Amino acid sequence: MKAALAWFILFALPLSAAPRPNVVFILTDDQGYGPLRAHGDVNIITPEMDRLHAESLRFTNFHVQ
């Protein structure tokens, strides 16, 4: 009985859980905050990055110690 319960907990429960969302983390090299039209730059045209900016979740408040 204990083996059957352990099998159910380890294998059956994770299969019935809701699927997790996909996460894509994009980190550009040598890109500052300013050179995007979405951040107010009028000299550089970045339509794809602006669309990604509009549809994405951004982490903009970082603290270091």
Side-chain angles (χ1 to χ4, degrees), residues 39-61:
H39 293 164
D41 192 331
V42 295
N43 297 319
I44 300 175
I45 300 172
T46 55
E48 297 301 321
M49 292 294 287
D50 296 339
R51 184 175 59 86
L52 183 63
H53 180 275
E55 297 175 359
S56 300
L57 176 70
R58 291 166 303 281
F59 299 100
T60 58
N61 191 5

Side-chain angles (χ1 to χ4, degrees), residues 4 12 22 28-29 32-33 36 45 54:
N22 292 328
T28 58
D29 187 30
Y33 183 82
L36 287 175
I45 300 172

